[in-house]
Amino acid sequence: MASKQFDIKTYGGFKGITLLCLVVLYAPLIVVTIYSFNASQSLTNWEGLSLRWYADVFSGPESAKFKEAAKNSFVIAIIAAVVSTSIATLAATGMVRGGKFKLRTLSFGLISLPLMVPEIVTAVATLIFFNSIGFDRGLMTIVLAHIAFCIPFAYLPISARMQGIEDSYEQAAQDLYATKRQAFTKILLPLMMPGIISGFLLAFIVSLDDFIITNFVKGAGVETLPTAIFGSVKQGMKPNIMAISTMLLGVSIVMVTISYFVSKSDNTK
Amino acid sequence: MAAGAASGGSATTDTYKEARTWLLMPAWVVLLFLSLAPVAMMLIYSFLTKEFRGGVIWEFSFAAYDQFFCDRGLFGDEGCTFEWTYMTIFWRSIWQAGAATLLSLAIGFPTAYFIATRPENVRPLWVFLITIPYWVNLLIRTVSMKFLLRDKGPLNDFLMSIGLIDSPLHIINTNFAVQLGLFYSYLPFMVLPIYAAVERYNFSLSEAAADLYASKFTTLWRILLPAVKPGVIAGCILVFVPSLGSFLAPDLLGGAKNFMIGSLIEEQFKGNAGNWPFGAAASMILLSLVLVILLIFARQQAKAEKAEG
Amino acid sequence: MKTMLKTTATGMALALTATAATAEGELVVYHWFEYMPQELLDKFTAETGIKVTMDTYDSNEAMLASLKAGALGTYDVAVPGDYMVSILAGEGLLDTIAEGELVNKGNIAPEWADPSFDPGRASSIPYQWGSTSFMVDTAVYGGDIDTTDILFNPPAELSGKINMLDSQGEVLAMAALHLGMEQCSTDREKLKSMNAMLQEAKGHWASFNSDTAKEVLVSGDAAVGQIYDGFGAKARSERASLKYAFPTQGYVVWMDNVVLLRDAPNRINALKFMDFLLEPENIAAVSNYARYASGVSGTADHLDPELATLPESNPSAEAGAGVFIEVCDEATQAVYDQIWTNLKK
């Protein structure tokens, strides 16, 4: 029986395609990582191993700009992730633990709207909106735009997690005369924590990497890492871009790894 | 991106029924003001008069839509014949996004299936492997793709050094390069929903089919595929929609010889043209197109759910 | 008596300098990214006591957009390109420098003292200038490269190996030179023939790419590429067979200029900064850093000798005239926008 089921499940070639898929996904990243250690001024000629472009990122002529941009990026990402995760957590509770209600489908549509609308349209609409109400573009406009855009990214893992939690825990707590608020903060919230952390990290990285929306709504002189990278590429691409990318890749991998292990420490099963 | 949860979820209870409105209020307010209101304002702007070099004049005008649909000749003083220029651009984007979606499906489906049939404890690791590259800045990924695919780039060097080809493959600045770039940009969006669907699939159905002497292919095509169809459709939409508005991959990998919807819109706000109402109108038309596609999907989904009982 | 006067004068001058050096002053500069050496800013601060804050932009259009969107009043000076100076002036975003307000105005080289984009230098001073032409890989093509035919009607060896800048201004200005027509033409027949010529030429082009204009040439992916002279010099240092062309039909010239913005919060300091940049020694430091020419007389002694012999900045005798990209009125611009859209549809 078991061997037969295994047979039914396996299709020859699917493994090969999966491996090919991984090669396609990783090859460019590996190339970037390798070339970030290139000693040459040129992007295309290999001239031996060196850390000069990493040094350049921290002390070269562009370092001030990149430091400022990195600071902006992290501040924006932290604010956007905290706010959107809080909103998403409350919304998920309302949606998943709120019973059936008329506006449910509409609410879900609204929450996932930023995911369904092409990013360029969101960017244009947000730019026009701030322009029409006379809101000066700056750091604040980026933060606001990112909060809205990050909500669905935070919402999905949180609501998925909540759906996996039986409400018997909360029921039991309430049977023991805990208030709703206590049941929420003492029982549900801790159980949801892995989902909330994944949601936070997703929102954080989406904000950190966003280029299209940021590029439209940023104010004069305000740069985030992606827009600074883009601006720098326009002035002629140098290997320091690859060094920055490799470091960003490192940060992203660390974040996703944390998220992976947190979600793995599943305490409900 | 547990997109499987995107269908709304089934395990709902009413523990917090009374607090529901207050729980949802922040999301409603934020999204009403920062998602819905901007789209409404964009609609209004598309009917305003353009200000030369960016901005609008608050006077009603149909000029943006006229420019989109009416060909009035090089000098703009002829009668209205149907304008093919922007249709061509839209069609090209739709075609490119469609091809990229098919490519993603062709590679993403087997990948998702393969992952979903691994032992349960290693599945998250596979998902993890697929999603890591997605968190690298899109611009960087696209630039590195360009770097890799160049006529004299590492890929061709490698293929020639192992003797698979004699002369470099010309990939860069072709449609295929764009599709590859789009595929690369959005693949996880295809894999994850399909993975979620296949993971939930009850394989005893396939077994029953096999017991009735269905071939493996028939089992896949007639039994498994209909069961995981919602996941496949969700994946296709999640790849198609962002591909439609993307301009990094077409510009960097396709050589930017031709406008795509995304670059056309961007040019209206960032480039020489500076025609905000036209940019708003083109965005509106793109948005309508996407909404129509989503509506068709939603109705399909509803039908499927009804059929399941 | 005479000595006493002299001493007093010196003393006063010293006192003035001292106050200037300690005065709490600020200056907010809106500048291209990586276009001014930090040492020069430090020198300015040391001489005047004025603290410089710098914001950057990556295109003329981005700067215009942010100034129009409300950044006016934040910045004292900006550094727009030639055509953008007239656009900014037309939009009323510039302040006028009164006669005598700039002590070093006489240092501006005579040929740049009265440019078409800012008659009489009412609001601007020259910063750096150069050209936009194209480079050809002489290892691929050995013939005459100093003609716009290379771009618009290329020999068979170069067809399909051409990268154009993804910039309407540069491409259409070059096309106008190729056809020998004025830039903001209203002649319908000429405009139609330009439209047709570009459609034809497009078949020979591989890509439109500004961001990697240098890389595609260095890597050999393109054998011809439109490029700025400064990037051209860098490209040649990485691939020796590349040669910068000065077509007999003419080529595009650009000039970045320091302008005094309207509602500048530190107007006096802005003028001091402009005077500072008109000192030959100071502007030469910019040239040595950015590798472009300056538009100020008397810089020769301070320049890196290599700059004087750069093939990219020294047109041959047969080269046509360098022309600035012109600013057309709205109706004319609409036709050029249409031609550009036709080209890229």
Side-chain angles (χ1 to χ4, degrees):
Chain A
M1 181 71 196
S3 68
K4 187 178 165 194
Q5 189 190 1
F6 184 74
D7 192 34
I8 270 294
K9 276 185 168 183
T10 314
Y11 287 89
F14 277 22
K15 186 177 187 176
I17 293 176
T18 307
L19 294 178
L20 176 78
C21 180
L22 287 179
V23 169
V24 173
L25 286 182
Y26 282 87
L29 301 180
I30 292 169
V31 168
V32 165
T33 307
I34 293 173
Y35 273 79
S36 72
F37 295 101
N38 192 353
S40 165
Q41 170 84 40
S42 146
L43 274 184
T44 45
N45 306 326
W46 179 259
E47 282 176 17
L49 216 58
S50 152
L51 283 174
R52 69 179 273 206
W53 296 112
Y54 287 86
D56 184 86
V57 170
F58 290 104
S59 56
E62 304 187 3
S63 61
K65 173 177 173 158
F66 280 121
K67 268 177 209 157
E68 178 69 22
K71 198 191 84 195
N72 284 342
S73 269
F74 278 92
V75 169
I76 292 167
I78 287 170
I79 298 174
V82 167
V83 176
S84 61
T85 310
S86 312
I87 293 173
T89 307
L90 296 178
T93 313
M95 291 287 283
V96 182
R97 293 283 197 264
K100 283 196 161 61
F101 58 103
K102 255 194 236 154
L103 291 173
R104 196 164 189 284
T105 318
L106 206 65
S107 300
F108 184 73
L110 193 59
I111 289 170
S112 42
L113 190 66
L115 211 59
M116 299 299 167
V117 176
E119 215 181 329
I120 180 89
V121 175
T122 307
V124 166
T126 317
L127 167 74
I128 283 176
F129 181 66
F130 286 135
N131 178 271
S132 69
I133 59 170
F135 200 117
D136 278 354
R137 279 181 271 164
L139 217 54
M140 195 58 198
T141 47
I142 307 180
V143 170
L144 289 174
H146 280 203
I147 288 174
F149 186 61
C150 288
I151 287 177
F153 287 92
Y155 176 84
L156 291 178
I158 295 173
S159 75
R161 171 80 189 176
M162 200 181 288
Q163 281 164 18
I165 301 171
E166 303 255 339
D167 72 337
S168 51
Y169 297 101
E170 298 141 74
Q171 298 290 358
Q174 287 184 34
D175 289 345
L176 295 169
Y177 304 105
T179 61
K180 286 257 151 107
R181 185 182 292 269
Q182 283 171 328
F184 179 74
T185 52
K186 296 267 164 64
I187 310 288
L188 189 58
L189 219 47
L191 285 174
M192 268 162 50
M193 220 18 111
I196 292 175
I197 291 174
S198 314
F200 175 85
L201 292 173
L202 281 195
F204 183 86
I205 291 183
V206 165
S207 164
L208 195 68
D209 273 347
D210 176 73
F211 169 72
I212 295 178
I213 294 176
T214 312
N215 187 33
F216 267 77
V217 303
K218 79 190 172 82
V222 180
E223 300 285 351
T224 65
L225 267 181
T227 64
I229 289 173
F230 196 74
S232 185
V233 166
K234 279 196 165 178
Q235 309 293 310
M237 223 185 321
K238 283 191 297 179
N240 62 349
I241 296 299
M242 300 213 167
I244 292 176
S245 310
T246 306
M247 287 189 281
L248 275 181
L249 177 62
V251 172
S252 301
I253 290 178
V254 169
M255 303 283 284
V256 186
T257 312
I258 294 172
S259 142
Y260 166 67
F261 281 109
V262 166
S263 61
K264 227 183 125 185
S265 65
D266 193 327
N267 47 8
T268 56
K269 278 184 183 167
Chain B
M1 265 182 312
S7 53
S10 45
T12 60
T13 62
D14 53 7
T15 326
Y16 297 99
K17 202 166 138 191
E18 303 79 17
R20 185 171 67 206
T21 311
W22 295 110
L23 288 168
L24 284 166
M25 193 59 83
W28 282 340
V29 170
V30 168
L31 291 167
L32 225 54
F33 274 97
L34 292 171
S35 265
L36 222 51
V39 171
M41 196 50 87
M42 186 171 79
L43 180 64
I44 295 174
Y45 265 48
S46 71
F47 286 106
L48 294 180
T49 307
K50 77 161 176 171
E51 192 182 335
F52 191 38
R53 302 190 199 292
V56 286
I57 301 165
W58 280 84
E59 267 168 42
F60 177 84
S61 162
F62 204 67
Y65 290 95
D66 187 89
Q67 183 181 344
F68 197 95
F69 292 109
C70 267
D71 182 359
R72 296 184 183 276
L74 191 56
F75 306 101
D77 55 1
E78 294 164 28
C80 178
T81 51
F82 191 74
E83 173 66 280
W84 288 102
T85 304
Y86 303 107
M87 288 295 154
T88 315
I89 294 170
F90 266 60
W91 173 244
R92 179 183 304 123
S93 291
I94 292 170
W95 185 85
Q96 283 284 29
T101 307
L102 283 181
L103 183 67
S104 302
L105 183 64
I107 297 193
F109 184 85
T111 306
Y113 183 92
F114 178 78
I115 295 173
T117 51
R118 292 304 90 202
E120 207 179 330
N121 58 334
V122 295
R123 279 180 217 161
L125 194 69
W126 280 98
V127 172
F128 181 52
L129 277 175
I130 295 288
T131 44
I132 283 185
Y134 178 70
W135 302 116
V136 175
N137 188 283
L138 182 60
L139 174 71
I140 304 290
R141 276 187 295 150
T142 313
V143 169
S144 46
M145 194 69 162
K146 180 185 171 86
F147 181 71
L148 187 74
L149 295 179
R150 285 178 17 237
D151 287 359
K152 289 159 191 166
L155 178 72
N156 276 315
D157 283 354
F158 173 73
L159 290 178
M160 292 207 296
S161 74
I162 60 168
L164 210 62
I165 51 172
D166 298 324
S167 58
L169 294 174
H170 183 68
I171 304 174
I172 200 77
N173 296 338
T174 63
N175 284 333
F176 180 65
V178 177
Q179 286 147 25
L180 211 56
L182 292 173
F183 156 79
Y184 185 42
S185 305
Y186 306 114
L187 181 77
F189 287 121
M190 178 66 82
V191 172
L192 294 179
I194 299 180
Y195 161 74
V198 176
E199 201 187 24
R200 278 199 296 262
Y201 173 69
N202 185 353
F203 273 96
S204 55
L205 290 173
S206 294
E207 266 181 62
D211 287 344
L212 295 168
Y213 304 105
S215 73
K216 265 181 117 170
F217 178 77
T218 314
T219 318
L220 179 74
W221 191 252
R222 304 286 295 272
I223 312 292
L224 176 85
L225 212 54
V228 300
K229 200 169 117 196
V232 172
I233 294 178
C236 289
I237 283 180
L238 288 175
V239 173
F240 185 76
V241 171
S243 297
L244 209 51
S246 149
F247 59 86
L248 284 178
D251 274 13
L252 287 168
L253 298 169
K257 275 184 83 174
N258 299 310
F259 274 131
M260 303 283 275
I261 300 178
S263 37
L264 176 74
I265 293 174
E266 203 225 2
E267 179 104 349
Q268 307 308 318
F269 293 90
K270 299 268 161 185
N272 281 315
N275 187 343
W276 285 30
F278 182 69
S283 303
M284 236 22 249
I285 294 166
L286 172 61
L287 182 60
S288 319
L289 198 73
V290 170
L291 289 183
V292 166
I293 294 169
L294 290 178
L295 219 66
I296 294 171
F297 166 62
R299 290 185 70 176
Q300 284 266 341
Q301 192 91 318
K303 245 192 239 163
E305 266 164 35
K306 225 176 197 174
E308 275 173 33
Chain C
M1 185 65 196
K2 215 175 169 185
T3 338
M4 210 182 102
L5 257 181
K6 210 175 170 185
T7 325
T8 323
T10 321
M12 273 174 71
L14 269 175
L16 273 176
T17 333
T19 8
T22 51
E24 287 290 311
E26 272 198 26
L27 177 72
V28 191
V29 180
Y30 197 26
H31 207 333
W32 293 83
F33 176 57
E34 220 187 279
Y35 202 7
M36 176 162 251
Q38 185 61 41
E39 304 85 62
L40 197 62
L41 288 176
D42 294 344
K43 185 182 170 196
F44 177 70
T45 305
E47 279 183 13
T48 61
I50 295 167
K51 216 179 118 244
V52 182
T53 317
M54 181 136 70
D55 269 346
T56 56
Y57 51 86
D58 55 29
S59 76
N60 279 308
E61 283 69 26
M63 175 195 59
L64 172 67
S66 76
L67 286 178
K68 280 188 81 172
L72 203 67
T74 320
Y75 302 109
D76 298 304
V77 295
V79 192
D82 39 84
Y83 70 100
M84 191 49 72
V85 175
S86 36
I87 292 177
L88 291 178
E91 297 272 337
L93 300 172
L94 300 183
D95 196 356
T96 314
I97 304 168
E99 203 54 51
E101 277 193 295
L102 280 181
V103 183
N104 292 334
K105 199 168 180 180
N107 291 356
I108 300 176
E111 65 268 35
W112 300 117
D114 188 28
S116 57
F117 53 81
D118 185 20
R121 287 282 175 196
S123 316
S124 71
I125 61 161
Y127 187 68
Q128 297 274 282
W129 69 275
S131 64
T132 312
S133 185
F134 55 89
M135 289 192 110
V136 180
D137 193 335
T138 51
V140 177
Y141 178 68
D144 174 28
I145 65 163
D146 289 327
T147 162
T148 48
D149 278 336
I150 296 280
L151 293 177
F152 299 106
N153 187 20
E157 299 100 298
L158 296 175
S159 178
K161 293 175 186 160
I162 300 172
N163 178 53
M164 301 295 285
L165 290 175
D166 195 4
S167 157
Q168 184 178 339
E170 263 94 10
V171 173
L172 297 190
M174 213 64 180
L177 288 172
H178 179 66
L179 295 174
M181 57 190 272
E182 66 273 40
Q183 283 186 50
C184 290
S185 173
T186 48
D187 183 323
R188 295 193 161 209
E189 289 313 310
K190 283 185 181 169
L191 287 165
K192 274 185 196 159
S193 69
M194 174 188 247
N195 190 41
M197 185 277 286
L198 286 168
Q199 295 292 337
E200 178 87 25
K202 188 186 181 187
H204 299 292
W205 298 341
S207 55
F208 283 92
N209 211 316
S210 302
D211 300 341
T212 53
K214 189 189 102 194
E215 276 70 30
V216 290
L217 285 168
V218 171
S219 66
D221 293 342
V224 177
Q226 253 192 315
I227 197 163
Y228 303 105
D229 56 343
F231 282 177
K234 284 179 195 157
R236 178 173 47 83
S237 72
E238 291 175 37
R239 192 181 181 91
S241 57
L242 291 171
K243 190 160 182 277
Y244 192 76
F246 284 103
T248 50
Q249 294 92 333
Y251 54 94
V252 175
V253 171
W254 56 266
M255 174 172 248
D256 289 331
N257 309 269
V258 182
V259 295
L260 182 63
L261 291 170
R262 205 187 78 205
D263 302 338
N266 313 288
R267 193 171 184 277
I268 307 278
N269 293 350
L271 291 168
K272 278 186 192 161
F273 186 65
M274 290 170 127
D275 262 334
F276 177 81
L277 286 176
L278 285 173
E279 297 279 356
E281 186 187 345
N282 296 334
I283 198 67
V286 176
S287 284
N288 290 338
Y289 174 80
R291 318 298 290 169
Y292 294 113
S294 72
V296 169
S297 345
T299 53
D301 295 345
H302 308 284
L303 281 180
D304 183 345
E306 203 200 334
L307 273 180
T309 55
L310 271 184
E312 287 77 17
S313 354
N314 296 284
S316 62
E318 296 82 49
V323 297
F324 284 113
I325 294 175
E326 281 171 34
V327 180
C328 313
D329 62 60
E330 188 170 355
T332 315
Q333 187 62 41
V335 180
Y336 282 92
D337 287 350
Q338 185 66 48
I339 291 176
W340 180 248
T341 307
N342 285 346
L343 180 61
K344 294 200 72 184
K345 76 180 174 193

